[in-house]
Amino acid sequence: MSQPIVSILMGSQSDWSVMEHASLTLNELGIAHECKITSAHRTPDRHHAYVTGAAERGIKLFICGAGMAAHLAGMTAALTHLPVFGVPLAGGAMDGLDSLLSTVQMPGGIPVATFAIGKAGAKNAAVMAAQTLAMSDPKMAEKVKAFRAAQTAAVPEEPTGWQKGAAA
Ligand code: RP5
């Protein structure tokens, strides 16, 4: 097992069903990563210790998913010089709009690159992680190109279920 270079953080076990799509996509791209539950609110000391020790263990960027008052990505960005990708998660009374605004509205100087709410955001954060790593890794660039080509090839020209030739 190679050394993890991407860290996927989430605020709760309840976030895993969405954040696993980031992990699955990193697996598809052959990127070693680790997944941890560290809550900005419920486990602040665990979060602080993990994030501040990550760079020296070889982590190159973070993907952080959280819902409701989603401070996980912002708190991570506050503690590290590494890039932080934020994934707002749905749930609660506002169905993800609360976490989108909590994640994206960072003060100047402490950026969080924020993705779509939910599964698409989790997947895209992983693809963007690969694209970011590919800037200094030609082998990773080839993996990203292969991933994109396979994705394109998997799109059918006609929808399954269409009754071709049926009278209007
Ligand atoms: C956030 O609160 C978590 O990221 C999660 O999305 C949300 C609810 O957490 P649970 O009450 O389900 O543990 O901190």
Side-chain angles (χ1 to χ4, degrees):
M1 190 72 172
S2 42
Q3 178 70 26
I5 56 174
V6 172
S7 169
I8 297 176
L9 300 183
M10 63 213 80
S12 169
Q13 176 65 44
S14 66
D15 298 329
W16 173 243
S17 62
V18 175
M19 294 310 293
E20 75 172 328
H21 294 284
S23 176
L24 291 169
T25 302
L26 291 179
N27 284 343
E28 268 185 79
L29 288 155
I31 298 175
H33 61 282
E34 58 189 18
C35 299
K36 302 283 182 186
I37 299 170
T38 67
S39 167
H41 305 124
R42 291 172 175 155
T43 68
D45 294 341
R46 185 199 300 177
H47 181 68
H48 187 287
Y50 176 81
V51 173
T52 54
E56 67 187 33
R57 293 191 303 103
I59 296 296
K60 296 185 184 301
L61 61 87
F62 292 91
I63 297 173
C64 300
M68 300 183 76
H71 298 135
L72 185 65
M75 280 307 304
T76 302
L79 292 167
T80 181
H81 66 284
L82 299 174
V84 176
F85 297 168
V87 182
L89 301 179
M94 297 181 201
D95 213 19
L97 185 58
D98 44 2
S99 45
L100 172 63
L101 297 177
S102 307
T103 303
V104 76
Q105 287 288 64
M106 289 295 292
I110 308 291
V112 169
T114 303
F115 290 80
I117 297 168
K119 180 179 170 182
K123 182 169 183 173
N124 280 346
V127 176
M128 188 62 83
Q131 292 176 278
T132 304
L133 296 166
M135 292 173 72
S136 57
D137 181 345
K139 284 184 186 165
M140 188 66 71
E142 291 309 312
K143 288 181 187 175
V144 172
K145 289 180 197 171
F147 175 88
R148 292 287 293 265
Q151 181 170 254
T152 298
V155 179
E157 289 192 23
E158 295 173 351
T160 301
W162 175 43
Q163 295 186 333
K164 194 170 188 175

